[in-house]
Amino acid sequence: MAKLLVINTDGGARGNPGPAGIGLVIKDESGELVYSHGAYIGETTNNVAEYSALIKALEESVNLGGTSLRIQMDSELIVKQMQGVYKIKEPTLQELAAKVIALLKKFDHYTFVHVRREFNKEADAMVNQALDAQALN
């Protein structure tokens, strides 16, 4: 039986590169929250943080038994890279994209959707909470 999961991910760096965090929210098809996570990931770039959030979300989706994914991100760059519209030129991003592609093979179906920032507030809030908590340490 197909199990659809709706994923929202976000990654951000304060400064680019700078202190970075990831945020992800996974819901079932009825909109019930099944998993959320925010974490500080060290000093890196915004795009590395975006990919890191996506990788974590895909790993968790495997654990949750998802078979079909709707992946919603406000990073137009990564959505277009995953859709094959943009080439991935940066070696670090090529490595991260390869991890994403390997994880995607574990699902029967997936779609990437670019959403405006205001439709990604939950994942964005988790990034900021992680960065704010780290800043206090």
Side-chain angles (χ1 to χ4, degrees):
M1 187 175 127
K3 181 176 179 182
L4 172 68
L5 296 174
V6 179
I7 297 170
N8 281 72
T9 68
D10 200 12
R14 292 186 178 160
N16 201 17
I22 62 170
L24 51 120
V25 175
I26 303 173
K27 295 182 179 179
D28 65 18
E29 56 191 306
S30 68
E32 284 291 309
L33 180 68
V34 292
Y35 183 85
S36 65
H37 176 76
Y40 175 73
I41 60 166
E43 298 263 328
T44 193
T45 66
N46 199 45
N47 290 333
V48 168
E50 291 276 8
Y51 267 110
S52 299
L54 177 56
I55 290 165
K56 177 71 174 162
L58 294 174
E59 290 169 347
E60 289 306 324
S61 295
V62 169
N63 295 341
L64 292 165
T67 59
S68 183
L69 305 178
R70 177 182 167 93
I71 304 158
Q72 303 179 145
M73 304 177 72
D74 62 23
S75 170
E76 186 176 6
L77 175 78
I78 293 178
V79 169
K80 293 225 190 260
Q81 286 179 338
M82 289 295 106
Q83 291 171 333
V85 178
Y86 293 169
K87 283 195 166 75
I88 306 168
K89 297 179 182 141
E90 212 279 312
T92 305
L93 297 187
Q94 287 174 343
E95 279 178 41
L96 294 169
K99 281 185 188 172
V100 168
I101 291 161
L103 284 162
L104 288 170
K105 290 180 179 164
K106 299 180 181 209
F107 301 96
D108 297 335
H109 180 260
Y110 59 86
T111 55
F112 280 89
V113 181
H114 177 247
V115 294
R116 294 205 324 258
R117 186 158 293 178
E118 59 264 32
F119 297 109
N120 208 27
K121 281 186 177 147
E122 290 172 291
D124 179 64
M126 304 202 79
V127 171
N128 285 306
Q129 286 170 355
L131 289 172
D132 291 346
Q134 179 63 27
L136 295 174
N137 291 340

